[in-house]
């Protein structure tokens, strides 16, 4: 019988067990078994790890097993006493591992017995603190700005805008703040709240007294009145749309000033109906549920080939345009309203990007976030003229029910690792995950997990000749041109979970309201 090496990993709240060894179809297991009392450990706290050498399913406690710390981003983990990086115990014995003092850190422990070895990765409990330094590219060249004298808690739109747009503040959001002033339409966009009806009535001079009346009229336009992007007036309906769109954006726009942190105070804190703009430096957005950057007055557009592309929104949940040193962490970014059709049968798409990063933005990290139920989810660079050149990190994010652009990279240097892509449900069928277009994007994609997606890696219709290095991913490949050589050197320290470990870790700890806030 042919032998095969096996590795089983189970992440539990109390105990985790790793088996590494070899077996065949008829012989019992021989190899190493590791178990830990906790896989998620507070900074500076400890967990016990037990190692047993198994021979034909029976413990052999006559041999010695050596533990070593083979990777550490927790800030100084050790066995037993401070500074101890290796320890040897008898099979069946245990060692005590103490984590370093950093949040969001990982420690990989390797146990060795003869020629057999096993690895276990443990993480520190994330406690969001206002003075945390970002992980990934956002932390490179980071200048701390936290000032205990400039900390406020807000629960209203007016206060959020005041302090987010001042600069220098740490702003805690308490509860869900509606930036639309109660104008978000219903799921089918026809039954609108009275506030949206009043807005339409006022901004059209009474020509349309309700949003439904406006949508029915504008939704029936032909391709001859499309917005071509030139700004040329095509019809009275088009002129009215531009007025409605512009005036609505003034209500929902939230522009974040430099050196500002916006943090959800607890479970259920967030922002809905906003177009959040980031064009400054040193900005932190953490532990927030951010929903429905809805554009009720979407542009009627054509494709580059002149065919109709339906009605498309102009607002992003988070639009990073020219921003640098930006950290989006432990947030839930999502749509709650589905795609519907206009009067003429074309798509009525009232969402643009979920988190777009364009126009020379750089040193951006999106980590531990849920990105859910969105079509064109994340665009990095927005065209052949956008020489983005950005340095972007995506890590431990959960993409669920997203159609495409996870991300779509243009002129960027991207490190994409330990993300979970799940196309098994949600609003949209997946068409692809990671893609690039034009010539100068470079991607390192490591240890990501792809489940029920159409294509983990796909070439853009615009053409792509950049470089994508892939390693350790699970769930398929695709037609994006890949390389076995890393196109750049990642400048920061990081540790990798195996692709098989990613779903359990991400589902448990990713998104808003999953971790404590200091």
């Amino acid at each position: 019988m042919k032998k095969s090496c096996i590795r089983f990993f189970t992440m539990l709240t109390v105990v985790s067990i790793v088996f590494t060894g070899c077996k065949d179809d008829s012989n019992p297991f021989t190899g190493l078994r590791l178990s830990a009392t906790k896989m998620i450990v507070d900074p500076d706290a400890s967990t016990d790890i037990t190692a047993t050498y198994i021979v034909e399913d029976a413990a052999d406690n006559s041999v010695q097993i050596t533990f070593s710390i083979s990777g550490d981003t927790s800030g100084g983990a050790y066995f037993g006493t401070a500074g101890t990086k290796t320890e040897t115990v008898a099979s069946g014995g245990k060692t005590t591992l103490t984590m370093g003092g950093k949040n969001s850190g990982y420690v990989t422990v390797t146990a060795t017995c003869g020629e057999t070895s096993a690895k276990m990765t443990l993480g520190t409990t994330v406690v969001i603190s206002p003075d945390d330094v970002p992980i990934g590219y956002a932390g490179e060249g980071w200048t701390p700005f936290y000032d205990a004298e400039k900390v406020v808690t807000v629960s209203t739109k007016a206060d959020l805008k005041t302090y987010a747009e001042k600069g220098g503040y740490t702003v805690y959001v308490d509860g869900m703040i509606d930036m639309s002033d109660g104008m978000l339409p219903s799921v089918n966009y026809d039954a609108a709240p009275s506030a949206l009806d009043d807005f339409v009535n006022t901004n059209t001079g009474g020509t349309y007294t309700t949003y439904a009346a406006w949508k029915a009229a504008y939704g029936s336009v032909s391709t001859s009145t499309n917005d071509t992007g030139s700004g040329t007036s095509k019809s009275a309906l088009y002129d009215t749309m531009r007025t409605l769109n512009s005036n609505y954006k003034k209500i929902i726009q939230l522009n974040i000033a430099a050196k500002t942190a916006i943090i959800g105070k607890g479970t259920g804190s967030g922002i809905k109906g906003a177009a959040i703009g980031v064009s400054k430096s040193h900005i932190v957005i953490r532990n927030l549920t951010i929903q429905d950057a809805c554009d009720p007055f979407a542009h009627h557009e054509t494709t580059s080939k002149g065919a109709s592309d339906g009605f498309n929104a102009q607002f992003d949940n988070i639009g990073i345009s020219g921003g640098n040193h930006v950290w989006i962490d432990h947030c839930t970014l999502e749509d709650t309203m589905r795609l519907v059709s206009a009067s003429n049968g074309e798509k009525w798409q009232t969402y643009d990007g979920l988190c777009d990063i364009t126009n020379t933005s750089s040193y951006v990290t999106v980590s531990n976030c849920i990105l859910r139920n969105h079509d064109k989810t994340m665009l990095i660079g927005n065209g052949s003229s956008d020489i983005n050149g950005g340095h972007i990190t995506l890590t431990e994010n959960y993409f669920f029910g997203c159609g495409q652009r996870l991300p779509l990279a243009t002129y960027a240097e991207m490190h994409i690792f330990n993300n979970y892509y799940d196309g098994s449900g949600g609003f949209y069928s997946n068409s692809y995950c990671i893609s690039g277009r034009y010539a100068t994007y470079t991607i390192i994609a490591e240890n990501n997990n792809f489940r029920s997606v159409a294509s983990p890696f796909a070439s853009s219709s615009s053409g792509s000749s950049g470089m994508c290095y892939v390693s350790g991913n699970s769930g398929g490949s695709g037609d994006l041109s890949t390389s076995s050589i890393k196109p750049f050197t990642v400048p920061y320290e990081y540790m990798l979970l195996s692709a098989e470990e990613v779903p359990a870790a991400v589902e448990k700890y990713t998104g808003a309201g999953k971790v404590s806030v200091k």
Side-chain angles (χ1 to χ4, degrees):
M1 294 294 227
K2 182 180 179 181
K3 290 188 175 181
S4 60
C5 288
I6 59 172
R7 181 174 187 266
F8 301 98
F9 180 92
T10 305
M11 179 173 285
L12 304 173
T13 303
V14 179
V15 63
S16 181
I17 299 174
V18 173
F19 292 92
T20 300
C22 291
K23 66 177 289 183
D24 62 30
D25 295 338
S26 59
N27 294 332
F29 175 81
T30 293
L32 274 172
R33 180 179 66 197
L34 302 183
S35 64
T37 52
K38 292 183 291 185
M39 286 297 293
I40 304 297
V41 189
D42 289 336
D44 295 318
S46 301
T47 183
D48 289 335
I49 303 176
T50 302
T52 306
Y53 186 62
I54 306 296
V55 179
E56 296 185 348
D57 286 340
D60 179 358
N61 294 333
S62 67
V63 297
Q64 298 289 301
I65 297 174
T66 299
F67 291 99
S68 63
I69 295 174
S70 52
D72 180 14
T73 61
S74 74
Y78 58 89
F79 297 115
T81 58
T84 303
K85 302 299 181 181
T86 63
E87 186 169 50
T88 299
V89 301
S91 172
K94 68 180 181 181
T95 185
T96 299
L97 174 73
T98 301
M99 308 295 278
K102 291 184 180 180
N103 294 327
S104 303
Y106 289 100
V107 176
T108 296
V109 174
T110 299
T112 304
C113 180
E115 296 181 355
T116 303
S117 64
K119 289 184 178 182
M120 175 176 284
T121 302
L122 305 94
T124 53
T125 300
V126 178
V127 178
I128 290 177
S129 177
D131 57 354
D132 284 339
V133 175
I135 62 175
Y137 269 120
E140 292 296 292
W142 181 261
T143 301
F145 62 84
Y146 173 71
D147 182 348
E149 300 298 318
K150 290 187 174 181
V151 178
V152 295
T153 298
V154 302
S155 58
T156 66
K157 173 183 174 180
D159 286 344
L160 175 60
K161 282 183 66 67
T162 295
Y163 290 104
E165 296 177 358
K166 273 189 176 183
Y169 277 83
T170 295
V171 183
Y172 286 98
V173 174
D174 188 5
M176 184 65 71
I177 295 176
D178 182 3
M179 293 292 291
S180 77
D181 294 340
M183 287 193 286
L184 282 174
S186 69
V187 67
N188 62 4
Y189 301 94
D190 292 319
S194 59
L196 186 58
D197 288 339
D198 292 343
F199 176 84
V200 171
N201 185 42
T202 298
N203 283 273
T204 64
T207 301
Y208 302 96
T209 58
T210 65
Y211 176 70
W214 155 256
K215 180 175 178 290
Y218 185 60
S220 64
V221 297
S222 66
T223 55
S224 63
T225 61
N226 287 356
D227 171 21
T228 63
S230 65
T232 303
S233 176
K234 298 295 181 182
S235 69
L237 274 170
Y238 177 61
D239 290 339
T240 302
M241 179 276 298
R242 287 179 65 89
T243 298
L244 289 165
N245 183 279
S246 176
N247 290 343
Y248 187 82
K249 186 174 183 179
K250 292 174 184 176
I251 293 171
I252 69 167
Q253 186 74 43
L254 178 65
N255 294 315
I256 303 179
K259 297 182 179 179
T260 298
I262 303 179
I263 303 171
K265 191 172 182 179
T267 302
S269 294
I271 303 168
K272 67 178 180 178
I276 299 174
V278 176
S279 60
K280 305 298 182 182
S281 175
H282 288 78
I283 291 172
V284 173
I285 301 174
R286 304 182 77 188
N287 199 45
L288 291 168
T289 296
I290 302 174
Q291 298 174 332
D292 298 326
C294 178
D295 179 2
F297 310 103
H299 288 201
H300 194 200
E301 298 178 343
T302 58
T303 67
S304 59
K305 296 181 180 180
S308 174
D309 193 34
F311 297 82
N312 286 285
Q314 306 299 305
F315 310 151
D316 301 326
N317 267 28
I318 300 177
I320 304 172
S321 179
N324 70 86
H325 294 93
V326 178
W327 190 20
I328 315 297
D329 178 67
H330 278 95
C331 289
T332 297
L333 306 169
E334 63 181 354
D335 302 344
T336 68
M337 293 177 279
R338 289 180 177 270
L339 179 69
V340 295
S341 297
S343 305
N344 64 3
E346 297 176 16
K347 68 176 181 182
W348 185 261
Q349 178 81 280
T350 59
Y351 298 123
D352 192 13
L354 205 55
C355 180
D356 283 2
I357 306 169
T358 61
N359 295 322
T360 68
S361 297
S362 193
Y363 294 100
V364 177
T365 296
V366 181
S367 57
N368 303 291
C369 290
I370 295 173
L371 297 98
R372 182 163 57 201
N373 292 333
H374 197 91
D375 185 17
K376 298 176 181 178
T377 304
M378 181 180 287
L379 178 64
I380 313 296
N382 60 2
S384 59
S385 62
D386 181 6
I387 309 301
N388 188 53
H391 304 279
I392 316 295
T393 299
L394 302 182
T395 181
E396 294 192 36
N397 300 296
Y398 184 17
F399 294 90
F400 176 79
C402 294
Q404 57 184 307
R405 300 185 180 182
L406 313 177
L408 172 60
T410 302
Y411 297 106
E413 183 175 283
M414 299 201 63
H415 188 203
I416 305 172
F417 68 98
N418 283 157
N419 299 283
Y420 181 30
Y421 296 86
D422 186 357
S424 62
F427 287 5
Y428 296 93
S429 296
N430 176 262
S431 55
Y432 68 86
C433 296
I434 299 170
S435 185
R437 63 183 180 184
Y438 306 111
T440 59
Y441 72 85
T442 52
I443 298 171
I444 294 177
E446 300 177 288
N447 294 35
N448 301 286
N449 190 293
F450 300 93
R451 177 191 179 199
S452 301
V453 298
S455 180
F457 303 96
S459 296
S460 166
S461 58
S462 300
S464 58
S465 56
M467 183 179 291
C468 180
Y469 169 85
V470 298
S471 175
N473 301 288
S474 174
S477 56
D479 63 355
L480 187 67
S481 178
T482 58
S483 169
S484 59
I485 302 173
K486 288 187 176 181
F488 57 89
T489 299
V490 177
Y492 48 84
E493 186 177 8
Y494 69 99
M495 286 184 59
L496 293 170
L497 300 174
S498 71
E500 290 73 25
E501 294 174 69
V502 166
V506 164
E507 287 183 325
K508 190 173 179 93
Y509 296 104
T510 287
K514 296 288 187 69
V515 297
S516 300
V517 177
K518 183 176 178 180

